[in-house]
Amino acid sequence: LEKTNDAYAISKIAGIKMCESYNEQYGTNYKCIMPTNTYGPNDNYNKMNSHFLPSLIKKIYQVKRKKDKKLILWGNGKAKREVIYVDDIADACVFFMNKKIKETIINIGTGKDYSIKEYADKVLKILLPNEKIKIKYDRKKPNGTPRKVMNVDLARKYGWTSKINFNEGILKTYNSYIKKITWILYNRLMKKDFKINFTHIYNLFLFLYVSLGFYFSLKTGITSDEFPHQYKWSLNFEVIKKFLLNIGDSNLDLVNYE
């Protein structure tokens, strides 16, 4: 077993063997769904203990926000990983709960793996298609297990395959991450967890202006396009999001989210 992952692996093996023993001794029908690395909305983005893909998404968001031109990865970028979107795992669980099978354990994944470097290139192309970002490596950090990819032939034999492609999954995950940050910033704003200055006061008035415009539009049915130019406002989530992220630029600590 790989040193950085051995305790986790042993605990999973123990659970699988317990299910196998119960099935053999007591005639139960426990099934162990063994997923590959999972990603998706509401992932863990903690800078100390997140998995590589949410960590990569967070780093790329910071590159975009700070207009940086370099992305730093742990290790040498050569370790290979297989990933699967969380909705596919849920779909597999339901599928096999309703399927009669004789095996106790079923691997769930895409059957394809890529290096960390390749994933970084893919995510950069999806999220920052027009930017040229240089990838650098922190070789003082560990690479982890050299390769993780599953044989998913058994799942395919029973008729299950993953449905969410990588591009779609990354976009859904990234949008969820942005909304999470925006909500945190909004709550910080309401609780006044930051030092008030003239920029914050200006932003607060801007937020109220946009919010009142949005409320008026809902009540009257009049959209911003129907107003004279001098009275137009942008009535959409993006404006509010940019406002909140602007507050985030004013030395607001986002703890583990930024």
Side-chain angles (χ1 to χ4, degrees):
L1 297 176
E2 206 278 326
K3 186 176 181 180
T4 63
N5 201 46
D6 56 2
Y8 175 64
I10 290 168
S11 68
K12 289 174 73 173
I13 292 168
I16 291 167
K17 298 307 291 184
M18 182 180 71
C19 289
E20 287 180 348
S21 298
Y22 269 85
N23 289 348
E24 183 178 343
Q25 186 170 351
Y26 299 109
T28 53
N29 187 30
Y30 292 120
K31 301 168 187 175
C32 298
I33 301 297
M34 180 64 69
T36 188
N37 298 287
T38 308
Y39 72 100
N42 299 313
D43 210 329
N44 171 27
Y45 296 95
N46 186 295
K47 62 183 178 182
M48 299 303 297
N49 57 27
S50 63
H51 289 165
F52 89 91
L53 196 52
S55 175
L56 181 60
I57 290 171
K58 177 179 176 180
K59 287 178 180 179
I60 291 175
Y61 162 76
Q62 291 174 330
V63 165
K64 179 179 180 179
R65 178 171 168 262
K66 296 175 182 178
K67 298 181 179 179
D68 203 346
K69 292 298 179 182
K70 66 178 182 295
L71 173 67
I72 300 175
L73 303 179
W74 278 25
N76 59 20
K78 295 179 180 179
K80 302 187 78 173
R81 296 289 183 270
E82 174 189 10
V83 298
I84 189 169
Y85 189 67
V86 64
D87 286 9
D88 277 332
I89 297 296
D91 179 68
C93 289
V94 174
F95 181 89
F96 284 104
M97 280 191 288
N98 292 291
K99 195 82 172 176
K100 288 185 178 180
I101 61 173
K102 60 182 180 180
E103 293 85 0
T104 299
I105 182 170
I106 308 103
N107 289 337
I108 300 299
T110 63
K112 299 177 183 179
D113 65 336
Y114 301 94
S115 70
I116 302 299
K117 165 69 165 58
E118 289 173 317
Y119 277 114
D121 287 335
K122 284 174 176 287
V123 179
L124 281 169
K125 187 175 180 180
I126 295 168
L127 301 181
L128 300 176
N130 300 318
E131 300 291 334
K132 291 184 178 180
I133 307 299
K134 186 174 182 180
I135 297 176
K136 294 190 174 182
Y137 302 96
D138 184 353
R139 299 179 189 274
K140 294 180 181 179
K141 297 293 194 300
N143 286 308
T145 306
R147 191 184 185 197
K148 290 183 181 180
V149 63
M150 287 187 160
N151 183 334
V152 294
D153 290 346
L154 183 60
R156 289 174 178 170
K157 171 187 169 184
Y158 284 113
W160 187 88
T161 56
S162 60
K163 299 176 178 63
I164 308 296
N165 66 53
F166 187 72
N167 284 34
E168 180 183 358
I170 286 296
L171 286 173
K172 286 183 177 181
T173 305
Y174 184 73
N175 288 335
S176 171
Y177 176 64
I178 293 299
K179 288 179 181 179
K180 193 170 188 176
I181 289 175
T182 304
W183 181 246
I184 291 169
L185 287 168
Y186 174 78
N187 282 327
R188 294 282 180 90
L189 172 65
M190 294 299 103
K191 292 178 182 178
K192 298 181 180 179
D193 280 352
F194 55 88
K195 185 179 179 181
I196 297 293
N197 59 35
F198 288 110
T199 302
H200 293 138
I201 294 171
Y202 170 80
N203 285 332
L204 179 60
F205 278 112
L206 175 62
F207 180 71
L208 292 173
Y209 176 74
V210 172
S211 299
L212 287 171
F214 183 66
Y215 175 80
F216 181 81
S217 178
L218 288 176
K219 285 294 184 181
T220 63
I222 299 174
T223 66
S224 62
D225 291 331
E226 295 170 308
F227 281 88
H229 176 73
Q230 63 267 32
Y231 296 115
K232 279 190 177 183
W233 46 59
S234 297
L235 307 176
N236 58 58
F237 178 75
E238 288 299 316
V239 170
I240 298 174
K241 181 178 74 178
K242 287 178 182 177
F243 152 68
L244 291 169
L245 292 178
N246 186 30
I247 292 176
D249 286 333
S250 302
N251 299 317
L252 177 60
D253 181 19
L254 293 179
V255 194
N256 290 320
Y257 293 95
E258 270 202 277

